[in-house]
């Protein structure tokens, strides 16, 4: 093969390789299936990468935050105002991230303490299901990745990964949702507290709560008890680090458990669940809102079993801070520590 032919062959090969890559990069930039680049060509987002978007917002808006809320999407529907009303003069940001375990919460706490010295209160929810079964998500889980500044990774590598990932399902889904004028899924309000908002679902619950509950099949899910405490020691160790960090910085750490809906409680192996509560108690006192309660049995207080409405968030904050009377129930929420964990387990 002569030089000219070799050059033509090389150019054709480069064209064949680079063209699909350029198309993929263009699609990921314009459609933005993970909400990283904020192109706004398709404005309705599909579960954007929470950590990246929230840290980017906080970097651009160096407001004087005095508190942060940490946890999985279960705490996502808690507006910071529900906590701020109990702490006059405070300003919170809800830094929940999808499926967050104490690994993610610890990473975010370290970042916030280092970059926002005004933080005085941490409002931390422990998701029992995740705490017992998961710990660290891999970097291949694009929907759950942490911001590179939180993990100490390279920003360019992070962005390159999202430009070159082939996530056909996410691409197709975002296009389809943006063409559907009736899309009513919850959205995250990054600029006003970081919490999730479910306007359309709240309207359905207001108009006909029973019809909405009937339409959500997960409320009728039948599950055998199967969730075992496989990762509790790791999550408890991370929680211990958070406790030590808060103590060193003079930060008030408020820990509470997710008020699991009764169909999710049905999945727990009781001794495993009790062991995880003991692991938490060995590290720090916490408010326990788990168990079969008057609240967990009311479907109308949940969007679906994994996510409770702000009305429960309000009950939780009122119980923790004790500044408002709880009319619904006085047995919802118990302060647990090493000294009374055995009594609590016995009651459960």
């Amino acid at each position: 093969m002569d030089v000219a032919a070799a050059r033509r062959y090389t150019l054709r090969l480069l064209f064949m390789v680079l063209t699909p890559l350029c198309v993929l990069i263009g699609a990921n930039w314009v459609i933005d299936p993970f909400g990283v680049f904020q192109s706004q060509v398709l404005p309705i987002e599909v579960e954007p990468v929470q950590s990246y978007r929230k840290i980017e917002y906080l970097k651009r808006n160096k407001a004087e935050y005095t508190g942060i809320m940490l946890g999985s999407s279960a705490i996502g529907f808690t507006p910071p105002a529900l906590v701020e009303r109990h702490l006059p003069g405070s300003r919170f940001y809800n830094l929940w991230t999808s499926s967050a375990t104490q690994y993610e919460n610890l990473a975010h706490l370290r970042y916030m303490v280092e970059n926002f010295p005004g933080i005085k209160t941490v409002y931390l929810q422990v998701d029992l299901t995740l705490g017992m079964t998961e710990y660290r998500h891999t970097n291949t889980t694009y929907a759950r990745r942490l911001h590179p500044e939180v993990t100490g990774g390279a920003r360019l590598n992070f962005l390159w990964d999202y430009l070159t990932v082939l996530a056909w399902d996410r691409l197709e889904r975002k296009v389809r949702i943006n063409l559907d004028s009736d899309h009513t899924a919850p959205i995250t309000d990054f600029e006003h507290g970081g919490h999730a908002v479910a306007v359309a679902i709240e309207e359905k619950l207001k108009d006909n709560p029973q019809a909405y509950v009937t339409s959500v099949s997960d409320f009728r899910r039948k599950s055998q008890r199967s969730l075992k405490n496989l990762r509790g020691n790791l999550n408890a160790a991370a929680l211990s680090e958070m406790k030590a960090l808060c103590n060193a910085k003079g930060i008030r750490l408020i820990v509470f458990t997710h008020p699991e809906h009764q169909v999710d409680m049905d999945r727990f192996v009781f001794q495993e669940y009790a062991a995880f509560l003991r692991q938490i108690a060995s590290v720090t006192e916490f408010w326990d809102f788990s168990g079969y309660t008057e609240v967990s049995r009311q479907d109308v207080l949940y969007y679906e079993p994994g996510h409770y409405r702000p009305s429960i968030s309000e009950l939780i904050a009122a119980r923790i801070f004790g500044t408002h009377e709880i009319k619904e129930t006085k047995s919802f929420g118990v302060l647990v520590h090493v000294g009374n964990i055995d009594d609590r387990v016995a009651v459960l």
Side-chain angles (χ1 to χ4, degrees):
M1 181 182 297
D2 60 27
V3 175
R7 184 180 295 113
R8 288 193 298 270
Y9 175 80
T10 302
L11 290 174
R12 282 197 298 268
L13 183 61
L14 286 173
F15 179 81
M16 293 173 62
V17 172
L18 293 178
T19 298
L21 179 61
C22 290
V23 171
L24 179 61
I25 289 174
N28 281 328
W29 179 274
V30 174
I31 299 175
D32 195 15
F34 293 96
V36 169
F37 304 105
Q38 302 181 60
S39 65
Q40 296 300 309
V41 174
L42 299 178
I44 301 176
E45 298 191 286
V46 181
E47 301 173 1
V49 182
Q50 295 290 330
S51 178
Y52 183 79
R53 289 286 296 278
K54 288 181 176 181
I55 297 301
E56 285 296 293
Y57 171 77
L58 290 169
K59 285 167 56 183
R60 295 192 305 268
N61 299 270
K62 288 285 187 179
E64 189 60 31
Y65 287 101
T66 64
I68 53 172
M69 303 163 68
L70 295 172
S72 66
S73 59
I75 197 178
F77 293 93
T78 300
L82 293 183
V83 177
E84 293 167 350
R85 63 185 291 216
H86 298 279
L87 297 171
S90 65
R91 184 176 184 183
F92 278 73
Y93 193 85
N94 193 334
L95 197 52
W96 71 272
T97 55
S98 179
S99 299
T101 66
Q102 302 318 309
Y103 169 81
E104 284 85 10
N105 293 333
L106 174 58
H108 282 123
L109 176 60
R110 287 171 174 163
Y111 176 86
M112 292 300 292
V113 167
E114 180 178 347
N115 292 278
F116 291 79
I119 299 297
K120 299 300 179 185
T121 307
V122 174
Y123 195 69
L124 170 66
Q125 178 177 279
V126 177
D127 188 309
L128 295 175
T129 298
L130 289 167
M132 291 168 59
T133 60
E134 297 189 43
Y135 182 61
R136 181 172 182 173
H137 303 299
T138 67
N139 283 336
T140 57
T141 310
Y142 285 84
R144 299 174 180 173
R145 282 194 184 182
L146 301 184
H147 193 288
E149 292 183 17
V150 172
T151 62
R155 181 185 178 89
L156 286 179
N157 291 341
F158 179 91
L159 296 176
W160 178 252
D161 284 345
Y162 282 93
L163 282 173
T164 56
V165 60
L166 180 55
W168 175 253
D169 289 345
R170 297 272 303 211
L171 287 165
E172 183 274 335
R173 184 181 176 194
K174 187 167 185 182
V175 171
R176 174 168 45 81
I177 285 176
N178 274 268
L179 293 177
D180 179 7
S181 60
D182 295 326
H183 180 65
T184 57
I187 62 171
T188 300
D189 191 345
F190 292 103
E191 298 183 0
H192 301 95
H195 60 293
V197 183
V199 176
I201 300 177
E202 285 290 345
E203 290 177 354
K204 291 179 181 179
L205 281 162
K206 181 179 179 180
D207 292 342
N208 194 333
Q210 191 54 50
Y212 174 79
V213 168
T214 301
S215 71
V216 180
S217 61
D218 279 355
F219 285 129
R220 300 180 296 280
R221 185 176 67 231
K222 300 297 182 182
S223 301
Q224 295 181 346
R225 294 175 181 267
S226 59
L227 288 184
K228 296 185 177 181
N229 184 18
L230 304 175
R231 301 288 183 271
N233 60 329
L234 294 172
N235 283 291
L239 183 57
S240 179
E241 288 192 50
M242 282 186 272
K243 178 73 171 178
L245 178 57
C246 287
N247 287 343
K249 298 293 184 179
I251 296 172
R252 181 185 181 186
L253 175 64
I254 300 170
V255 181
F256 63 99
T257 56
H258 173 210
E260 302 277 352
H261 187 274
Q262 61 179 350
V263 301
D264 286 331
M265 285 298 305
D266 287 344
R267 302 170 62 200
F268 292 158
V269 176
F270 180 77
Q271 294 303 325
E272 304 283 344
Y273 154 58
F276 185 47
L277 294 182
R278 293 181 189 279
Q279 287 171 318
I280 301 173
S282 70
V283 171
T284 182
E285 68 175 22
F286 67 99
W287 285 89
D288 185 25
F289 292 94
S290 68
Y292 294 96
T293 67
E294 298 94 326
V295 171
S296 69
R297 293 188 179 96
Q298 296 187 53
D299 295 343
V300 295
L301 296 179
Y302 293 76
Y303 294 125
E304 34 76 26
H307 299 92
Y308 56 87
R309 297 172 63 191
S311 52
I312 292 185
S313 303
E314 197 164 11
L315 288 175
I316 290 172
R319 177 59 109 191
I320 288 174
F321 294 102
T323 52
H324 293 270
E325 180 182 358
I326 301 176
K327 298 179 180 179
E328 286 80 354
T329 171
K330 292 186 177 180
S331 63
F332 181 60
V334 175
L335 184 61
V336 179
H337 47 77
V338 172
N340 69 353
I341 183 61
D342 290 339
D343 294 336
R344 177 58 178 165
V345 168
V347 170
L348 290 170

